[in-house]
Amino acid sequence: MTVKVGVAGYGVIGQRLADGVARQKDMTLVGVADVAPTLSVRALKEKGMPYKLFAATAEGRISLEAAGFAVSGAFEDLVGQVDVMLDSSPGGVGAKNKEIYKKLGKKAIFQGGEQNSVADVFFHGYANYEKGLGADYLKLTSCNTTGLIRAVDCLDRAVGVEKVAITIIRRVADPGDYHRGLTNALQVDRAPSHQAVDLMTVMPHVGATGILVHTPVSHGHIITVLATPKKDVEVQEAAALFREHPRVRVVRLDEGFLGNASLFRYARDLGNPRGDMYEIALWEDTLVKSGRDLMFAINIPQEAVTIPETMDAIRAALKMQTDRLEATAATNENLGLGKWRKN
Amino acid sequence: MTVKVGVAGYGVIGQRLADGVARQKDMTLVGVADVAPTLSVRALKEKGMPYKLFAATAEGRISLEAAGFAVSGAFEDLVGQVDVMLDSSPGGVGAKNKEIYKKLGKKAIFQGGEQNSVADVFFHGYANYEKGLGADYLKLTSCNTTGLIRAVDCLDRAVGVEKVAITIIRRVADPGDYHRGLTNALQVDRAPSHQAVDLMTVMPHVGATGILVHTPVSHGHIITVLATPKKDVEVQEAAALFREHPRVRVVRLDEGFLGNASLFRYARDLGNPRGDMYEIALWEDTLVKSGRDLMFAINIPQEAVTIPETMDAIRAALKMQTDRLEATAATNENLGLGKWRKN
Amino acid sequence: MTVKVGVAGYGVIGQRLADGVARQKDMTLVGVADVAPTLSVRALKEKGMPYKLFAATAEGRISLEAAGFAVSGAFEDLVGQVDVMLDSSPGGVGAKNKEIYKKLGKKAIFQGGEQNSVADVFFHGYANYEKGLGADYLKLTSCNTTGLIRAVDCLDRAVGVEKVAITIIRRVADPGDYHRGLTNALQVDRAPSHQAVDLMTVMPHVGATGILVHTPVSHGHIITVLATPKKDVEVQEAAALFREHPRVRVVRLDEGFLGNASLFRYARDLGNPRGDMYEIALWEDTLVKSGRDLMFAINIPQEAVTIPETMDAIRAALKMQTDRLEATAATNENLGLGKWRKN
Amino acid sequence: MTVKVGVAGYGVIGQRLADGVARQKDMTLVGVADVAPTLSVRALKEKGMPYKLFAATAEGRISLEAAGFAVSGAFEDLVGQVDVMLDSSPGGVGAKNKEIYKKLGKKAIFQGGEQNSVADVFFHGYANYEKGLGADYLKLTSCNTTGLIRAVDCLDRAVGVEKVAITIIRRVADPGDYHRGLTNALQVDRAPSHQAVDLMTVMPHVGATGILVHTPVSHGHIITVLATPKKDVEVQEAAALFREHPRVRVVRLDEGFLGNASLFRYARDLGNPRGDMYEIALWEDTLVKSGRDLMFAINIPQEAVTIPETMDAIRAALKMQTDRLEATAATNENLGLGKWRKN
């Protein structure tokens, strides 16, 4: 028997959550819900409706049916059939949806755009899986924080990390976004960045600060990390640790990976659905040591990076696995993570 | 028995030519050739080598084997096994390769980057299929010209086109390009643009001029076309003609298709390999009439748009079909073109 | 005695209007009005308040004084002292301000962002100066339309223009804009563009249509113009006509003018205040003929291009000159337009 | 009597060096040298040749005279008349020019693009003025390093700095550049960045590492700095230190300084020649503390930032002042630095 999952909000993240669930052998995607005939919903139709579409609101149903879409039911119909909802609605909507989840007694996993207060646990599959076990409401860390914690947790479990200072060079829009964008401008945010603060919430034994700067690109954030390990570690040892992580790709400039756009191109050339990449990349050429500090740069493919950790969250919430490594291994196996090393 | 095809140059275009051939039921892809372990070649390896890789040069073989790639043979080995080569090498290399094609008595189809003199026929599947029948060396029109001619030929066959004036708003780089790019600048080219001149070569009964401006984007060219039909035609009639064309999508702003990036996103959401789109898009909202002139804007997905017409070229060169509409219909069927209208 | 002028809205356009008035020997700038300590207002203060600052609203006065700015009076105080107001407030605010202008019996000239209905005359210094003579409320054409009409009117007065079709490759934001922008996307507007429609309003004997595409750049719009002259004219003759126009610079690619960013750089290197340019540029390399049609590309420096025609509008509204050429010549002399040809 | 200065290479930096020298009361600009009628040289002509133009090479003279430029003499003629040359030729050319400087017994100051080996001293006006005293050949730190050292030296002299880790978010092109650029891509460099290494050369008592990422913008680099002071210092104390520095502007988001483009706009609105800014900006909103570490972000206006330190270098090389603070004060006074605080 498989776990039944629904997705609220079929946008950039929702589509990828649905695909991710569909790839898990021990899960079944019941359907997805949205409120309007967006491009993503139109693409679902053109593909022949591989997923059932539910109307997330009553008005949404009218809008979708007026546009000729086959609607399988109301939002409550979807929620009623699932064991857990993945909520990737626009920020704030998830909190409203939670009332429905509560009423129908269903668990839910929210994405990073929602307020922390929506959930019992602020979750990361590798860093604090145990905290999510059996929880009713979990919230995933944001795309940047998810990728960042992968790298920091990897170091931390091996050699201990005392503190980190990060600079987030943020992509300001996703491909196809017209509602936000920057033109020939870098934009500075108030420090410390929420990602540094969030890291300390998930990994309370690590000190963190950081600055975020928005940049006019769409194919991946780049984060530079200055990490102070608890014990001295050589650059080659650190590289070896990262190389073993199933959700990290260690890449090099001389292979042709020159920046975030190279990774986007590579994922397309791999034939990945939507040209997505679940893994963060870490440039070996940027891994340097200064005193005891390690510095390195990672690439965060913002559209897909949280999918694996969200699958982990389902596993935790429903106690599909009680062990962190068994859970992440199951997710990795189903998403093909780590497999690429064998070729 | 199927036609045997090889691809020289496994870059942006070459990869898509290989995939396109692999989808034709009446063709077999013998292999692809390249000279270095580029990202595209690395992705081929990570995918488990679905296509055989040949070394395009002797030095290339050394480079590829040193990087751990399985090389199936030399360039002549590939050419020797095929009926026709698709040459998507960097500009100028195709002309050198032609010596090998001649020596081994093989036909070849070159992409738009090559000089016109490399070929006997400057080819477009819809506009001058008959000229390509049995030809030894064909050259495809460039991406912009290919898409432009689709639209102009569509109008021309229905109502006659006297002349066109085009403005090409050119994407300056492909996603992942680091060797070229513009930052916060529009760049003007000398007029008339080669696309206008090329259109007159392929459709000599139509007058054409045009101006090209490079823009700092990567997801599709946009061309505005001012076409003077031979007889008066209403906007709705013209829209209906375009709507029937299997390689044209008529889209609207209110559907969410706001520009070139919307189409890129939509193709990704469709799950198309690499997020590619073979069809040009034409915005119904831009189709206006001024006197007898029609004006409209089209989107050219530069990475994949020439693939269907290249498949047509194989059909012409090898006389797989002698009729223009049968040939293009076969290509369309294999690539799923036009099928989307049914959903 | 000089004409007294005030400026409402000290933003991108307002600053340049104020500077433009200050350069007219027969005008006096009474002051400028704004509502908040924006960067432009802060720069005014850092420069030592060369212009008097008035509060455009009561709340604005509180906001400005709280931030330590010396406010010379309320909006009515400014309006009361002037002969004519130049209104470059955000779109819609001008219509409200008009009530004050009416109450105090003052003339006003609005910028392109305001509704046409705000004014009696839709004005262009070269194309319809006579219509503005003595008018109480004028509205300037927008930046694109102003520059476009310069070129079309220049041709029209010499050889007659029957119709035009334009493609506007629009810069989407000004340098320093953070409230709007596009990232790696071209955006299409519904056709016909308002600039084509506006051209027909100002030049009713010319047919016009056009398409506008937004691009992610900040240094100048580029418009391609297809103009059908009433009589046959050679490319060299047309170039000579443009070369004589004091508000048009005919430039060439081989001089180093490769696009909009070259012109921005050149204006900075000239030492122009703010690196502004009043002139449109026309690329001689793009001027081509197809049948009787002429095609060419022009550059529109969006921040400053309407300043000369606004000075013309003051001259018309106050009947400072009754002759179109005397008026534009006075503006040109004061702004140094055409003088550059002598070096 | 004033010091006589010449400028080799009248490009982005050379123009600003010439303007900077012209503003020093105790220096005389003899002339500038270049090899071709670039846009900058054309602008010099249109302005009426405020500076004498020399031909940097014999071929250059032919090229300039053929284009109608008045050439005041050969390169040796310029060098022969000066006390010191400022060399802002393209990278590598300065080393060749040095032979001429040596032959004619003249001192020279090279810009950051040249190899370190070209000079006796790697110079920064604030950090190691004394090293430059009487030196024959100095090389300025690059734009990023110059701005970075201003901030680090400021902290270091007050409280001591043990080490820094920097992330350089680099603008990839200047406004008007068409020969380089990135489109929708971030590009990663091998670490440690040369700026970190250069900082250690100029300030050998400070440890440094860093990563540089190129971004597709043109209006200023942003550097995040993690500095470990030798003694504990509060955020407010650090802000006060920076606020006192005549070449640092402490700015805030709520003033409207949202990023690098805001500073570019502000400098234009100030009426600075070319819209240039000599000062780096430091965002008070980014200044945070983590343990003893301080983190903050600075803006580097790449076109003009090295001008003040180059004026300092002239002062050092010719021993115009022997005291670091007297020298920098003289430069600051002539360039109006620090004066802005009074308004």
Side-chain angles (χ1 to χ4, degrees):
Chain A
M1 226 201 70
T2 65
V3 161
K4 292 187 199 119
V5 186
V7 172
Y10 193 67
V12 168
I13 301 296
Q15 292 180 81
R16 290 162 173 90
L17 289 175
D19 294 354
V21 169
R23 293 176 69 172
Q24 308 296 312
K25 287 186 202 123
D26 45 4
M27 302 182 192
T28 300
L29 180 72
V30 179
V32 300
D34 212 306
V35 296
T38 62
L39 288 186
S40 303
V41 173
R42 289 178 191 277
L44 184 66
K45 188 182 173 195
E46 184 170 330
K47 285 188 284 189
M49 299 299 279
Y51 306 144
K52 279 191 188 172
L53 176 66
F54 293 80
T57 62
E59 300 76 24
R61 184 163 200 158
I62 295 168
S63 157
L64 285 163
E65 292 185 337
F69 288 81
V71 175
S72 295
F75 193 54
E76 279 84 354
D77 297 330
L78 172 60
V79 178
Q81 297 177 48
V82 306
D83 297 310
V84 60
M85 283 296 294
L86 305 183
D87 197 306
S88 51
S89 308
V93 176
K96 288 182 202 160
N97 289 346
K98 189 182 172 186
E99 297 309 308
I100 298 170
Y101 307 148
K102 274 173 115 164
K103 196 179 65 181
L104 298 180
K106 300 303 170 97
K107 292 177 185 266
I109 299 166
F110 301 90
Q111 290 294 309
E114 215 58 36
Q115 296 284 340
N116 279 6
S117 58
V118 81
D120 308 321
V121 180
F122 197 26
F123 182 84
H124 189 282
Y126 274 87
N128 69 353
Y129 184 82
E130 298 77 7
K131 288 225 167 175
L133 280 172
D136 285 336
Y137 304 109
L138 292 85
K139 189 191 129 171
L140 261 284
T141 48
S142 70
C143 54
N144 269 309
T145 316
T146 299
L148 171 66
I149 289 181
R150 277 188 202 162
V152 175
D153 170 80
C154 171
L155 262 188
D156 184 46
R157 292 189 182 263
V159 297
V161 170
E162 181 190 322
K163 60 178 179 175
V164 297
I166 59 173
T167 298
I168 302 181
I169 305 171
R170 182 179 182 267
R171 76 80 188 90
V172 85
D174 292 325
D177 276 356
Y178 281 88
H179 62 293
R180 55 181 171 181
L182 279 177
T183 295
N184 196 36
L186 302 174
Q187 183 167 1
V188 171
D189 266 13
R190 179 173 300 278
S193 76
H194 82 76
Q195 292 84 354
V197 174
D198 289 354
L199 183 144
M200 291 190 286
T201 305
V202 174
M203 304 181 72
H205 55 291
V206 177
T209 194
I211 293 176
L212 183 149
V213 177
H214 307 265
T215 63
V217 299
S218 69
H219 295 322
H221 313 287
I222 290 182
I223 307 181
T224 66
V225 183
L226 185 85
T228 308
K230 285 190 180 150
K231 64 177 193 188
D232 201 52
V233 53
E234 291 309 306
V235 159
Q236 287 312 323
E237 295 173 67
L241 291 170
F242 293 128
R243 220 175 265 119
E244 286 306 304
H245 198 295
R247 298 186 190 169
V248 179
R249 283 174 182 262
V250 176
V251 300
R252 292 202 318 268
L253 298 172
D254 66 7
E255 292 169 336
F257 293 102
L258 304 184
N260 64 346
S262 301
L263 286 149
F264 183 75
R265 170 163 178 174
Y266 189 70
R268 294 176 75 200
D269 287 357
L270 282 177
N272 289 354
R274 291 187 180 83
D276 286 338
M277 185 163 279
Y278 295 129
E279 300 98 332
I280 63 166
L282 186 149
W283 277 275
E284 195 170 354
D285 316 73
T286 64
L287 185 48
V288 285
K289 212 179 151 186
S290 173
R292 188 151 49 86
D293 299 334
L294 287 173
M295 194 169 191
F296 53 88
I298 55 178
N299 183 74
I300 310 289
Q302 79 276 355
E303 297 166 301
V305 74
T306 61
I307 308 308
E309 274 76 1
T310 309
M311 300 301 110
D312 299 340
I314 298 172
R315 299 180 181 286
L318 297 175
K319 297 192 180 173
M320 295 171 69
Q321 287 86 14
T322 51
D323 180 72
R324 180 181 73 96
L325 291 178
E326 283 178 24
T328 52
T331 297
N332 294 344
E333 170 69 21
N334 286 312
L335 296 179
L337 290 165
K339 184 184 144 203
W340 60 278
R341 285 203 183 75
K342 296 166 197 160
N343 288 314
Chain B
M1 223 199 74
T2 64
V3 161
K4 292 187 200 122
V5 187
V7 172
Y10 193 68
V12 168
I13 300 296
Q15 292 180 80
R16 290 161 174 89
L17 289 174
D19 293 353
V21 168
R23 292 177 69 172
Q24 308 295 312
K25 289 187 200 120
D26 44 5
M27 303 183 192
T28 299
L29 180 72
V30 178
V32 302
D34 212 305
V35 296
T38 63
L39 289 188
S40 303
V41 173
R42 289 178 191 277
L44 185 67
K45 188 181 174 197
E46 183 169 331
K47 285 189 284 190
M49 301 298 281
Y51 306 144
K52 279 190 187 172
L53 176 66
F54 293 79
T57 62
E59 299 76 22
R61 184 163 199 158
I62 295 168
S63 156
L64 286 163
E65 291 184 337
F69 288 81
V71 175
S72 294
F75 193 53
E76 279 85 352
D77 298 330
L78 171 61
V79 179
Q81 297 177 48
V82 306
D83 297 309
V84 60
M85 283 296 294
L86 305 183
D87 197 305
S88 51
S89 308
V93 176
K96 288 183 202 160
N97 289 345
K98 190 183 172 185
E99 296 310 307
I100 297 169
Y101 306 148
K102 273 173 115 164
K103 195 178 65 181
L104 298 180
K106 300 303 170 98
K107 292 177 186 267
I109 299 166
F110 300 90
Q111 290 295 309
E114 214 58 34
Q115 296 284 339
N116 279 5
S117 58
V118 81
D120 308 320
V121 180
F122 197 26
F123 182 84
H124 189 282
Y126 274 86
N128 69 352
Y129 184 82
E130 298 79 7
K131 288 226 167 172
L133 280 172
D136 286 337
Y137 304 109
L138 291 86
K139 186 190 134 173
L140 260 286
T141 49
S142 70
C143 54
N144 270 308
T145 315
T146 298
L148 171 66
I149 290 180
R150 277 189 203 162
V152 175
D153 169 80
C154 171
L155 263 187
D156 184 46
R157 292 189 183 263
V159 297
V161 170
E162 183 190 321
K163 59 177 179 176
V164 297
I166 59 173
T167 298
I168 302 181
I169 304 171
R170 182 178 183 268
R171 76 81 189 88
V172 84
D174 292 326
D177 277 356
Y178 280 87
H179 62 293
R180 54 182 172 181
L182 278 177
T183 294
N184 196 35
L186 302 173
Q187 184 167 2
V188 171
D189 266 13
R190 179 174 300 278
S193 75
H194 81 77
Q195 292 84 353
V197 174
D198 289 353
L199 184 144
M200 291 191 286
T201 305
V202 174
M203 304 181 72
H205 56 289
V206 177
T209 194
I211 293 176
L212 183 148
V213 177
H214 306 265
T215 63
V217 298
S218 69
H219 296 322
H221 313 287
I222 290 183
I223 307 181
T224 67
V225 183
L226 186 85
T228 309
K230 285 189 180 151
K231 65 177 192 186
D232 202 53
V233 52
E234 291 309 307
V235 158
Q236 287 313 321
E237 295 173 68
L241 291 170
F242 293 127
R243 221 174 266 120
E244 287 305 305
H245 197 297
R247 298 187 190 168
V248 179
R249 282 173 182 262
V250 176
V251 299
R252 293 201 318 270
L253 298 172
D254 67 6
E255 291 169 337
F257 293 103
L258 304 184
N260 64 346
S262 302
L263 287 148
F264 183 76
R265 169 163 178 174
Y266 190 69
R268 294 176 76 201
D269 287 357
L270 282 177
N272 289 354
R274 291 187 179 82
D276 285 339
M277 185 164 278
Y278 296 128
E279 300 98 331
I280 64 167
L282 186 149
W283 277 275
E284 195 169 355
D285 315 74
T286 63
L287 185 49
V288 286
K289 212 179 150 185
S290 173
R292 189 151 49 87
D293 299 333
L294 288 173
M295 194 167 191
F296 53 87
I298 56 178
N299 184 74
I300 310 289
Q302 78 276 353
E303 297 167 301
V305 74
T306 61
I307 308 307
E309 275 76 0
T310 308
M311 301 301 110
D312 300 340
I314 299 172
R315 299 180 181 285
L318 297 175
K319 296 193 183 173
M320 295 171 70
Q321 287 86 14
T322 52
D323 181 70
R324 178 181 74 96
L325 292 178
E326 283 178 25
T328 52
T331 297
N332 294 344
E333 171 68 21
N334 286 314
L335 297 179
L337 290 164
K339 184 183 144 205
W340 60 277
R341 284 200 183 75
K342 296 166 197 162
N343 290 313
Chain C
M1 223 200 74
T2 64
V3 161
K4 292 186 198 118
V5 186
V7 173
Y10 192 68
V12 168
I13 301 296
Q15 292 181 80
R16 289 162 174 89
L17 289 174
D19 294 353
V21 169
R23 292 176 69 173
Q24 309 294 312
K25 287 186 200 119
D26 45 4
M27 302 183 192
T28 300
L29 180 73
V30 178
V32 301
D34 212 306
V35 296
T38 62
L39 288 187
S40 303
V41 173
R42 289 178 191 277
L44 185 67
K45 187 181 173 196
E46 184 170 331
K47 286 189 282 189
M49 300 297 282
Y51 306 144
K52 278 191 187 173
L53 176 66
F54 293 79
T57 63
E59 300 76 23
R61 182 161 200 160
I62 294 167
S63 157
L64 286 164
E65 292 184 337
F69 288 81
V71 175
S72 294
F75 193 54
E76 280 84 352
D77 298 330
L78 171 61
V79 178
Q81 298 176 47
V82 306
D83 297 310
V84 60
M85 283 297 294
L86 305 184
D87 198 305
S88 51
S89 307
V93 175
K96 289 182 201 159
N97 288 345
K98 190 182 171 184
E99 296 310 306
I100 297 169
Y101 306 149
K102 272 173 117 164
K103 195 178 68 181
L104 298 179
K106 300 303 169 97
K107 291 175 185 269
I109 299 165
F110 300 90
Q111 290 295 309
E114 215 58 36
Q115 296 283 339
N116 279 6
S117 59
V118 80
D120 308 321
V121 180
F122 198 25
F123 182 84
H124 189 283
Y126 273 86
N128 70 352
Y129 184 81
E130 298 78 6
K131 288 226 168 173
L133 280 172
D136 285 337
Y137 303 109
L138 291 85
K139 188 190 130 172
L140 261 284
T141 48
S142 70
C143 54
N144 270 308
T145 316
T146 299
L148 171 66
I149 290 181
R150 277 188 203 162
V152 175
D153 169 80
C154 171
L155 262 187
D156 184 46
R157 292 189 182 262
V159 298
V161 170
E162 183 189 321
K163 61 177 178 174
V164 297
I166 59 173
T167 298
I168 302 181
I169 304 171
R170 182 178 181 268
R171 75 81 188 88
V172 86
D174 292 324
D177 277 357
Y178 281 87
H179 61 294
R180 54 181 173 183
L182 279 177
T183 294
N184 196 36
L186 302 173
Q187 183 167 2
V188 171
D189 266 12
R190 179 174 299 278
S193 76
H194 81 78
Q195 292 84 354
V197 175
D198 289 353
L199 184 144
M200 291 191 286
T201 305
V202 174
M203 303 181 73
H205 56 290
V206 177
T209 194
I211 293 176
L212 183 148
V213 177
H214 306 266
T215 63
V217 298
S218 69
H219 295 321
H221 313 288
I222 290 182
I223 307 180
T224 67
V225 184
L226 186 85
T228 308
K230 286 190 179 151
K231 63 177 193 187
D232 202 53
V233 52
E234 292 309 307
V235 158
Q236 287 313 322
E237 295 173 66
L241 291 170
F242 293 128
R243 220 174 265 119
E244 286 305 305
H245 198 296
R247 297 185 191 170
V248 179
R249 282 174 182 261
V250 176
V251 299
R252 293 201 317 267
L253 298 172
D254 67 7
E255 291 169 336
F257 293 103
L258 303 184
N260 64 346
S262 302
L263 286 148
F264 184 75
R265 168 161 180 176
Y266 190 70
R268 293 177 75 201
D269 287 357
L270 281 177
N272 289 354
R274 291 187 180 81
D276 285 339
M277 186 163 279
Y278 296 129
E279 300 98 331
I280 64 167
L282 187 149
W283 277 276
E284 196 169 355
D285 315 74
T286 63
L287 185 49
V288 285
K289 214 180 150 184
S290 173
R292 188 149 50 86
D293 300 333
L294 287 172
M295 195 169 190
F296 53 88
I298 56 177
N299 183 74
I300 310 289
Q302 79 276 354
E303 297 167 299
V305 74
T306 62
I307 308 308
E309 274 77 0
T310 308
M311 300 302 109
D312 300 340
I314 298 172
R315 300 179 181 286
L318 297 175
K319 297 193 181 175
M320 295 171 70
Q321 287 86 15
T322 51
D323 180 71
R324 179 181 74 95
L325 291 177
E326 283 179 23
T328 53
T331 297
N332 295 344
E333 170 69 22
N334 286 313
L335 296 180
L337 291 165
K339 183 184 145 205
W340 60 278
R341 284 201 182 75
K342 296 167 196 161
N343 289 313
Chain D
M1 225 201 71
T2 64
V3 161
K4 292 188 199 118
V5 186
V7 172
Y10 192 67
V12 168
I13 301 295
Q15 292 180 81
R16 290 163 173 89
L17 288 175
D19 294 354
V21 169
R23 291 176 71 173
Q24 307 296 312
K25 288 187 200 118
D26 44 5
M27 302 183 193
T28 300
L29 181 72
V30 178
V32 300
D34 212 304
V35 296
T38 62
L39 287 186
S40 302
V41 172
R42 288 177 192 278
L44 185 66
K45 188 182 173 195
E46 184 170 330
K47 286 189 284 189
M49 301 297 281
Y51 305 144
K52 279 190 187 173
L53 176 65
F54 292 78
T57 62
E59 301 75 24
R61 183 162 200 159
I62 295 167
S63 157
L64 286 163
E65 291 184 338
F69 288 81
V71 175
S72 295
F75 193 53
E76 279 85 352
D77 298 330
L78 172 60
V79 178
Q81 298 177 48
V82 306
D83 297 310
V84 60
M85 283 297 293
L86 305 183
D87 197 305
S88 51
S89 308
V93 176
K96 289 183 202 159
N97 288 346
K98 189 182 172 184
E99 297 309 307
I100 298 170
Y101 306 149
K102 273 173 116 165
K103 195 178 66 181
L104 298 180
K106 301 303 171 96
K107 292 174 185 268
I109 299 166
F110 300 90
Q111 291 294 308
E114 214 58 36
Q115 295 284 341
N116 278 6
S117 58
V118 80
D120 308 320
V121 179
F122 197 26
F123 182 84
H124 188 283
Y126 274 87
N128 69 354
Y129 184 82
E130 298 77 7
K131 288 225 169 174
L133 280 172
D136 285 336
Y137 303 109
L138 292 85
K139 188 190 129 172
L140 260 285
T141 48
S142 71
C143 55
N144 269 308
T145 315
T146 299
L148 171 66
I149 289 181
R150 277 188 203 163
V152 175
D153 170 80
C154 171
L155 263 188
D156 184 46
R157 292 189 182 262
V159 298
V161 170
E162 181 189 323
K163 60 178 179 174
V164 297
I166 59 173
T167 298
I168 302 181
I169 304 171
R170 182 177 182 268
R171 76 80 189 89
V172 85
D174 292 324
D177 277 356
Y178 280 88
H179 61 294
R180 56 181 171 182
L182 279 177
T183 294
N184 196 36
L186 302 173
Q187 183 168 1
V188 170
D189 266 13
R190 178 174 300 277
S193 76
H194 81 78
Q195 292 85 354
V197 175
D198 290 353
L199 183 143
M200 291 191 285
T201 306
V202 174
M203 303 180 72
H205 55 291
V206 177
T209 194
I211 294 176
L212 184 149
V213 177
H214 306 265
T215 63
V217 299
S218 69
H219 295 321
H221 313 287
I222 291 182
I223 307 180
T224 67
V225 183
L226 186 85
T228 307
K230 286 191 179 150
K231 64 177 193 188
D232 201 53
V233 53
E234 290 310 306
V235 158
Q236 287 313 322
E237 295 173 66
L241 292 170
F242 293 128
R243 220 174 266 118
E244 286 305 306
H245 197 296
R247 297 185 190 169
V248 179
R249 282 173 181 263
V250 175
V251 299
R252 293 202 317 268
L253 298 171
D254 67 7
E255 292 168 336
F257 293 103
L258 304 183
N260 63 346
S262 301
L263 286 150
F264 184 75
R265 169 162 179 176
Y266 190 69
R268 293 177 76 200
D269 287 357
L270 282 178
N272 289 354
R274 290 186 181 83
D276 285 339
M277 184 163 280
Y278 295 129
E279 299 98 333
I280 63 166
L282 186 148
W283 276 276
E284 195 169 355
D285 315 74
T286 64
L287 185 49
V288 285
K289 213 179 149 185
S290 174
R292 188 151 49 87
D293 299 333
L294 287 172
M295 193 169 192
F296 53 88
I298 55 177
N299 184 73
I300 310 288
Q302 78 277 356
E303 297 166 300
V305 74
T306 61
I307 308 308
E309 274 77 0
T310 309
M311 300 302 110
D312 300 339
I314 298 172
R315 298 179 182 285
L318 297 176
K319 297 192 183 175
M320 295 171 69
Q321 286 86 15
T322 51
D323 180 72
R324 181 181 72 97
L325 292 177
E326 282 178 26
T328 52
T331 297
N332 295 345
E333 170 70 22
N334 286 313
L335 297 179
L337 290 165
K339 183 184 146 205
W340 61 277
R341 285 202 181 76
K342 297 165 196 161
N343 289 313

